[in-house]
Amino acid sequence: MSQSSQGAAAQVFDEHISEWTQWRTAPWNHLRYRLVGRILAEAARRLGGRCRVLDAGGGDGGDSIPLALRGHDVTILDHSAALLERAADAAASAGLGSRVRTVCSDLSYLPEAAASNLSHGYDLVLCHNVLNHCGDVPGTVVRLVGALRPGGVLSLMAPNPAMDVLSMAVRQTCPARARAMLDEPTVRSETFGCDMRRLDPDSVEVVLGLAGCVVTDRFGIRCVTDLIADNNLKSDLSFAADLEELELALYDREPFLRTARFWLLLAQHDSDLESG
């Protein structure tokens, strides 16, 4: 991505900061962060010790600052200065001090901007809801894997094309539009007003294998929540608690994880592939 296109992309996110705030604070999106938080906490636990975490395209740090609160060292890289400012403010408010570092850069410059200060790479790299905005998915995955230490873990997440179709047919009761969406390569982001690539997790898993990673875990984030049209009901505390228990029971279970609102893959850097 050129510097001019990088600036244009960052401007899109900065200009829609109010829409982002509205999306971020919705009850069902609190649920999204809690589910992802449980997955990442377990991934860091399995890695052992104090992890070095890179949140690539991490925005306001919603997924990585909770890891800093658990004692891990976090670098948040994003091209949106407005979102990074929110991340820095959240870290300061939590008293995290030097445990959270922000870097304003595009992922194209990830090796130079984020990883060059580490001689052995990061233990855990996050890239959530970013690949769907990338023009070069394989190239981006290669750069992300390059930021990992041997044996490190990469967490990738993106909107699931299957839920686009299900939600259009069930929640919005528009089967004709759902049928038309089946083979569409992009979908419009309601929050940022731009087109996003529709990425199938199986195709991303192939790219990960070619880049030297083995997928160890597959998850579905919000398996049923996005099929419920009544937002007032989802805001009810008792209903929301029951819904969260259901989501926790489904998020790593076939076949439900295959059609969730977001897919999430954990992949481990295969040091044997690199040494071979």
Side-chain angles (χ1 to χ4, degrees):
M1 182 180 289
S2 67
Q3 288 186 347
S4 59
S5 60
Q6 172 189 345
Q11 185 177 2
V12 167
F13 289 90
D14 288 345
E15 288 178 349
H16 290 80
I17 198 74
S18 60
E19 290 89 345
W20 166 257
T21 301
Q22 184 177 1
W23 181 91
R24 181 79 162 81
T25 56
W28 41 96
N29 288 317
H30 285 303
L31 173 61
R32 165 254 187 264
Y33 282 98
R34 286 196 296 273
L35 294 169
V36 172
R38 290 173 68 104
I39 293 168
L40 296 180
E42 174 60 18
R45 187 197 66 77
R46 292 192 306 204
L47 284 165
R50 184 171 176 174
C51 292
R52 296 168 298 183
V53 180
L54 172 65
D55 192 356
D60 62 5
D63 285 329
S64 54
I65 287 178
L67 290 169
L69 288 167
R70 290 177 174 270
H72 303 293
D73 295 312
V74 170
T75 296
I76 304 170
L77 181 147
D78 202 279
H79 59 194
S80 170
L83 289 175
L84 283 179
E85 184 178 356
R86 292 194 172 195
D89 289 345
S93 298
L96 295 172
S98 60
R99 195 173 293 166
V100 175
R101 170 175 170 256
T102 61
V103 177
C104 192
S105 174
D106 183 79
L107 265 65
S108 299
Y109 305 98
L110 188 151
E112 296 83 359
S116 60
N117 67 316
L118 294 174
S119 58
H120 302 294
Y122 289 89
D123 302 295
L124 178 61
V125 173
L126 321 179
C127 189
H128 294 171
N129 291 355
V130 174
L131 288 181
N132 45 305
H133 293 286
C134 290
D136 179 13
V137 173
T140 300
V141 170
V142 167
R143 283 190 287 273
L144 292 166
V145 173
L148 283 170
R149 67 163 173 82
V153 171
L154 174 61
S155 175
L156 294 179
M157 186 174 78
N160 192 342
M163 180 55 83
D164 295 337
V165 177
L166 290 176
S167 179
M168 183 61 68
V170 176
R171 177 174 174 160
Q172 300 188 46
T173 62
C174 189
R177 181 72 184 104
R179 174 65 182 85
M181 292 181 73
L182 280 173
D183 299 316
E184 289 185 0
T186 62
V187 66
R188 192 74 173 171
S189 168
E190 295 180 5
T191 303
F192 295 110
C194 60
D195 288 337
M196 301 185 297
R197 182 192 298 269
R198 299 177 72 215
L199 287 175
D200 182 88
D202 291 339
S203 64
V204 175
E205 184 168 347
V206 171
V207 173
L208 284 166
L210 294 173
C213 282
V214 175
V215 173
T216 59
D217 301 272
R218 299 169 184 83
F219 299 93
I221 306 301
R222 296 200 326 230
C223 294
V224 297
T225 299
D226 291 67
L227 297 175
I228 301 171
D230 190 339
N231 288 342
N232 290 327
L233 183 60
K234 288 188 288 188
S235 299
D236 177 81
L237 294 179
S238 177
F239 181 86
D242 289 341
L243 184 59
E244 182 166 349
E245 287 299 314
L246 175 60
E247 293 285 8
L248 285 169
L250 299 178
Y251 78 161
D252 60 351
R253 185 175 300 190
E254 296 277 7
F256 307 101
L257 64 87
R258 294 285 179 176
T259 56
R261 174 62 279 176
F262 303 97
W263 55 259
L264 190 152
L265 301 177
L266 294 183
Q268 188 161 31
H269 191 288
D270 192 333
S271 55
D272 291 336
L273 285 177
E274 183 173 291
S275 60

